Amino acid sequence: MSAYESARHYFETAASVMDLSPNMKKLLLTPEREVKVQVAMKMDNGEIATFVGYRIQHNSARGPMKGGLRYHSEVNGEEVLALASLMTWKTAVVDIPYGGAKGGITVSPKALSENELETMTRKFIDELQDVIGPNKDIPAPDMGTNAQVMAWIMNQYEKYHGFNPACVTGKPLELHGADGREEATGRGVGLLTEAMLQKLGRSLTGATIAIQGFGNVGSFAAEYLHKHGAKIVAISDVSGAKFDSNGIDVPAALAYARANGSLEGFESEKQLSNEELLALDVDVLIPAALGGVLTKENAGHVRAKFVVEAANGPVDPDADTILQKQGIVVLPDILANAGGVTVSYFEWVQNQQYFRWDLERTRAELAKTLLTSFEKMWAVATEKRIPLRTAAYLMGIGRVGRATVLAGI
Amino acid sequence: MLSQQLTSLQIFNGLSDDDAARICSVLQTSEFKTGDTILNEGGTVQVLWIILQGNCVVSRSCDVNNERILALLAEGDVFGEMSFVRTAPHSASIKAVSDVKACCYRREDFLKLVEDSPEVAWQITSNIAAVLAERLRRMDTWVCDLVDGPHGDVHRDEWENFRSAVYTNWTF
């Protein structure tokens, strides 16, 4: 099932609980603007390369639109639209004053030199500069992009519009970035995992956890959970999974991955495949890599009691139904990985105020925002006897809906 | 009825004075009291009526409210032309809502005209076709209004329903 179909399915499920009419559903699903541009450039070897870039602005009822820019070979319009709508519900669930958008370029960034990556980014912003901006649509890092790419975006945007650090978030600390932005998504996953366990009378101490993906999200989640007493028994990246029944030495793994660029060669009790990691007998399974990793084929093998969707859409709707039947609680992506966009919001606020927060303040505000939303989502799910995901969508759609009826169309 | 009066009616427009006079000579005048039914829905009398004086309503029976008023007719209006060109039960009833004086042109007289002066009959036939075409055009507008009209209400309801839902059941 494609990302678009999954997103549509989850929206429809919530919409039918809310008994939305077909026309209201259409209003909430149709993107406000879709931009598709040619990004043509001369490569280092003189060859002409032409890429296709997207920016899909889904909904701005609650504020300027917000969402990542992704450089990946599989970026396509349909997927970008699905992710843009996910951003609309996500910003609404955590109640930050933004709408939703997403964008990207269909390209394998690893095949480009640093110079080519910069040229491509600047060309892309030449095309987008008119439709983005601090009060319109604010890009952020996503798969294949990082703080350096955001710095180029800011610089290119400022060539047209003057000093404007709030036009993009996820910037380097030296260039108006926010302390705590890089760790935010992973830290949020950790905070929410802890809150969920507490709800059910458990604690992080001694809880066994398997994390798929050791990138920006998985590594910081592992670090937080490890620090707070959880036993991380498995971690993984593209090179495969590492398993240790006594718990992985997370600080050592972090240092290894930073030094070597991957976990390949990191010593552990047992080497597993990514697929085997998903079926481990643990308390919490955290898919933090790609979308669509749990499907109807493998969802039945999951033995964890909780699944935390740190990636976007790792559990497809068929798998979601299977997990539900098995009594496995799924913490949905639109809240679980909302730490990133929340601290992006803090970065934007700081840029708008020309004032810098310290790390403690960012962490405290992040915890407050995420845990308030979590408590609300938990209460809605309990009261209405619905899964957490549906409860989160109800909150998101409800907030976007109220903003829409108040403003009018 | 005077031939000039007759040719001022759309159905007899374009006829010479002589032809109009010939038709006038065969017209039969009748008088009706308020509330009288002149033409019954479902009836098959093939007669073209011309109102000389007074008002009539065109109505049709229907499920809602038993009867629906389709139009109000006044002096100079013509009715019965549909069954005049095609034998079929009347699609509506005509009732006098005041004292009415009207004259009728019988189909037998018209068929005689077809034999005697086909060019005159052709003129009348094409005039009737114009009247019917106009009515059909009006009908199209009504149909659109009927289709669109209630939808407008549904849309208003839809917006209000959504508003009340997001402010009651779905406020957290």
Side-chain angles (χ1 to χ4, degrees), chain A residues 17-18 20-21 23-24 376 380 384 394-395 401-402 405-406, chain B residues 154-155 158-159 162-172:
Chain A
V17 172
M18 295 177 83
L20 294 187
S21 69
N23 289 330
M24 289 313 302
K376 210 158 256 187
V380 172
K384 309 261 178 207
L394 290 187
M395 282 165 66
R402 283 188 290 284
V405 292
L406 282 172
Chain B
V154 169
H155 284 166
E158 199 171 12
W159 186 251
F162 182 67
R163 181 196 293 270
S164 76
V166 291
Y167 272 103
T168 53
N169 296 349
W170 313 114
T171 302
F172 310 112

Side-chain angles (χ1 to χ4, degrees), chain B residues 124-166:
Chain B
I124 294 172
T125 310
S126 71
N127 286 345
I128 290 177
V131 168
L132 294 179
E134 245 174 60
R135 188 173 305 157
L136 201 56
R137 203 165 287 136
R138 263 204 317 274
M139 200 69 85
D140 288 343
T141 313
W142 285 352
V143 169
C144 285
D145 286 348
L146 277 174
V147 171
D148 288 340
H151 266 214
D153 291 341
V154 169
H155 284 166
R156 271 191 293 283
D157 289 349
E158 199 171 12
W159 186 251
E160 287 312 316
N161 288 345
F162 182 67
R163 181 196 293 270
S164 76
V166 291

Side-chain angles (χ1 to χ4, degrees), chain A residues 13 57 62 87 129 159 194 255 382 386:
Chain A
T13 305
Q57 301 175 326
R62 299 182 64 261
M87 286 307 298
Q129 55 84 19
K159 285 179 181 168
E194 190 176 18
T382 311
I386 49 177

Side-chain angles (χ1 to χ4, degrees), chain B residues 61-165:
Chain B
S61 57
C62 61
D63 295 336
V64 185
N65 300 327
N66 299 326
E67 193 180 70
R68 175 149 294 166
I69 307 292
L70 299 176
L72 191 65
L73 303 177
E75 191 180 318
D77 284 333
V78 168
F79 58 87
E81 75 283 358
M82 275 166 75
S83 45
F84 196 70
V85 289
R86 183 176 158 79
T87 316
H90 302 314
S91 60
S93 296
I94 311 286
K95 258 185 203 162
V97 287
S98 68
D99 288 344
V100 168
K101 199 167 152 194
C103 58
C104 68
Y105 184 42
R106 297 182 309 152
R107 191 169 155 81
E108 300 90 278
D109 296 322
F110 178 70
L111 290 176
K112 207 153 168 271
L113 186 74
V114 173
E115 274 182 38
D116 297 342
S117 333
E119 68 287 343
V120 180
W122 179 84
Q123 180 67 52
I124 294 172
T125 310
S126 71
N127 286 345
I128 290 177
V131 168
L132 294 179
E134 245 174 60
R135 188 173 305 157
L136 201 56
R137 203 165 287 136
R138 263 204 317 274
M139 200 69 85
D140 288 343
T141 313
W142 285 352
V143 169
C144 285
D145 286 348
L146 277 174
V147 171
D148 288 340
H151 266 214
D153 291 341
V154 169
H155 284 166
R156 271 191 293 283
D157 289 349
E158 199 171 12
W159 186 251
E160 287 312 316
N161 288 345
F162 182 67
R163 181 196 293 270
S164 76

